Amino acid sequence: MEIYLLRSSSQLLLPSFTNPNRRFNLNNKSLKLRCSVAGGPTIGSTKIEGGGGTTVTADCVIVGGGISGLCIAQALVTKHPEAAPNLIVTEAKDRVGGNIITREENGFLWEEGPNSFQPSDPMLTMVVDSGLKDDLVLGDPTAPRFVLWNGKLRPVPGKLSDLPFFDLMSIGGKIRAGFGALGIRPSPPGREESVEEFVRRNLGDEVFERLIEPFCSGVYAGDPSKLSMKAAFGKVWKLEQNGGSIIGGTIKAIQERKNAPKTERDPRLPKPKGQTVGSFRKGLTMLPEAISARLGSKVKLSWKLSSITKLESGGYNLTYETPDGVVSVQSKSVVMTVPSHVASSLLRPLSESAANALSKLYYPPVAAVSISYPKESIRTECLIDGELKGFGQLHPRTQGVETLGTIYSSSLFPNRAPLGRVLLLNYIGGATNTGILSKSEGELVEAVDRDLRKMLIKPNSTDPLKLGVRVWPQAIPQFLVGHFDLLDTAKSSLTSSGHEGLFLGGNYVAGVALGRCVEGAYETATEVDKFMSQYTYK
């Protein structure tokens, strides 16, 4: 199970100056101006302090110091160093990382936001460039995943050879799924389908109810009857589009990869074995902290963006409230990686249409509940060779439990719990259970404990040790039917109203998984590089 809670925070931009290398003296503050842009505002390291506050200039301001904003900055530094040599990352909070929060106490190490990532090559590139290659930890690729069905935790097939034997689905359900995957199923309806509609049509009711519905809870904490298949699970959606069926699209994709020009893989990157997930020796927080340390003074904490305006000479002016007073930043480009509802408020003065589109995206509440039990509290039938092994478990909404899913944190990665203890990270809430906002921490722990005693924990076990309860009132953006339309409206509205160089980024754009945020960061950095390449710097 993988639940991703990612977001970022705020930043700004500055005015233009000419006469590079001219020295001024304002209020006894000596400063040096550098860098001019032909046909546009000067972008450089200018800093002016006066009675009206401080003004600085930048090539690019990235608003938000969550994982998306930090990775965009690092991608610019490592992949496009000439695009924006003078960049700033601004964060409204006093720390970087957004919703990535790792806690350590009394021998326990736990996450209170996202829990892991898929070790794709873009993700591994970010890890290596951040100096964390030796701190990378990977889960056992053979670790089973479980789904609760009819009171029993049943393993999910991990490879093709498992398909005939796993007991999560009936023989009839497997046959229906096989024929559907081959293309023997109803035709597409000619409109955007929800996840539920697409899966029931292609693979049948059992695949949806026993696999995909709990998976949607695990990734999005969402309602599959409203999530868009195209937006939420685009890779699978494209298989049918490109190949006429899921199997046809898979065969075509394999052929295309085989015929594509071979590109040499970066030899610096680790080589994960099998399908697995990753983290770091001291938790996920190591990544944003490492990137921030490398960016150094480019990262500004406790900088709250109060307004953004377009400069007549081109570029943008961002006004911040900072610990040192009001600061204005003038920049040729801006990347907004804050949540869509925050971006909506900030961008409304620039484009009412873009702001309205962004305001329609929905983030349901989710709580991350970390608790621990003695090892002997685990039911005997849930042990493998005397140990709790596996990635974790998912709970379909039809099975009478409130908890969305549980990650076996102490089984997945090393040194997460003291000897003799089991650490479990549980997610509860989501689009179908917003009532968690009215519950206390104690009530959330009780709900999770009550659920776990139905299938994983012995009914007469001692009470769990509560480690951390983190409630995210607006946790994960929902990629609902029409999501891409809203996103396209927001982007096109900014462009048509003359706001070139203002980019939207973050998990509501790239995808909710941590790895997709990193991949999206490289894509956004390429867009910024393309925009900035039209200017000549001296």
Side-chain angles (χ1 to χ4, degrees), residues 4 6 116-118 120 122-123 513-520:
Y4 300 93
L6 304 168
S116 61
F117 55 80
Q118 301 258 336
S120 64
M123 185 75 215
L514 197 158
R516 268 304 301 153
C517 288
V518 172
E519 292 169 16

Side-chain angles (χ1 to χ4, degrees), residues 389-409:
K389 295 183 179 180
F391 183 86
Q393 59 192 56
L394 291 169
H395 311 143
R397 301 297 81 211
T398 58
Q399 298 305 293
V401 295
E402 192 175 359
T403 309
L404 297 169
T406 299
I407 295 170
Y408 306 161
S409 300

Side-chain angles (χ1 to χ4, degrees), residues 154-203:
R154 303 171 190 272
V156 174
K159 51 186 182 297
L160 287 176
S161 59
D162 294 337
L163 291 176
F165 308 106
F166 78 105
D167 67 351
L168 182 58
M169 289 173 57
S170 68
I171 294 176
K174 295 174 185 178
I175 292 173
R176 166 65 179 89
F179 278 123
L182 289 169
I184 305 173
R185 45 67 175 128
S187 299
R191 56 171 173 78
E192 186 174 4
E193 288 181 287
S194 70
V195 171
E196 180 175 0
E197 290 172 327
F198 180 94
V199 175
R200 287 190 188 276
R201 179 175 60 81
N202 275 280
L203 300 172

Side-chain angles (χ1 to χ4, degrees), residues 280-523:
F280 301 101
R281 181 176 50 84
K282 288 295 184 178
L284 290 180
T285 194
M286 291 188 74
L287 181 59
E289 289 177 355
I291 296 174
S292 179
R294 286 180 174 255
L295 294 173
S297 62
K298 296 179 186 295
V299 178
K300 309 297 183 183
L301 298 180
S302 300
W303 276 39
K304 184 178 180 181
L305 180 60
S306 57
S307 68
I308 176 171
T309 58
K310 182 73 181 289
L311 295 169
E312 290 185 5
S313 55
Y316 299 88
N317 184 85
L318 298 93
T319 302
Y320 288 91
E321 298 172 13
T322 80
D324 298 320
V326 176
V327 176
S328 293
V329 184
Q330 293 183 353
S331 176
K332 192 60 188 178
S333 61
V334 180
V335 184
M336 303 289 289
T337 69
V338 291
S340 60
H341 48 90
V342 178
S344 172
S345 298
L346 292 169
L347 296 177
R348 190 165 296 280
L350 300 181
S351 172
E352 189 82 15
S353 178
N356 288 340
L358 292 175
S359 70
K360 294 177 181 177
L361 301 184
Y362 173 54
Y363 294 65
V366 173
V369 180
S370 294
I371 54 179
S372 172
Y373 295 90
K375 285 183 65 175
E376 55 267 24
S377 296
I378 304 298
R379 294 190 181 200
T380 304
E381 64 267 24
C382 295
L383 299 176
I384 301 175
D385 298 329
E387 301 287 339
L388 178 64
K389 295 183 179 180
F391 183 86
Q393 59 192 56
L394 291 169
H395 311 143
R397 301 297 81 211
T398 58
Q399 298 305 293
V401 295
E402 192 175 359
T403 309
L404 297 169
T406 299
I407 295 170
Y408 306 161
S409 300
S410 52
S411 301
L412 188 59
F413 299 121
N415 304 316
R416 262 32 181 189
L419 193 66
R421 303 289 303 192
V422 172
L423 174 61
L424 303 175
L425 170 56
N426 309 271
Y427 293 103
I428 186 170
T432 61
N433 183 18
T434 59
I436 64 160
L437 290 175
S438 63
K439 292 186 176 182
S440 67
E441 288 191 4
E443 289 173 329
L444 290 172
V445 171
E446 287 177 8
V448 169
D449 178 55
R450 183 169 57 250
D451 286 343
L452 293 178
R453 290 174 190 269
K454 295 177 180 179
M455 85 296 280
L456 181 67
I457 302 298
K458 294 175 182 177
N460 61 349
S461 176
T462 59
D463 290 340
L465 172 64
K466 183 186 79 170
L467 295 171
V469 177
R470 176 77 62 169
V471 178
W472 301 98
Q474 293 175 293
I476 304 170
Q478 300 296 286
F479 283 40
L480 306 179
V481 171
H483 179 84
F484 282 155
D485 294 335
L486 290 174
L487 204 53
D488 289 343
T489 296
K491 291 180 177 180
S492 62
S493 295
L494 290 172
T495 302
S496 63
S497 58
H499 295 98
E500 296 85 0
L502 179 54
F503 302 93
L504 300 177
N507 59 355
Y508 72 92
V509 177
V512 301
L514 197 158
R516 268 304 301 153
C517 288
V518 172
E519 292 169 16
Y522 284 111
E523 294 163 4

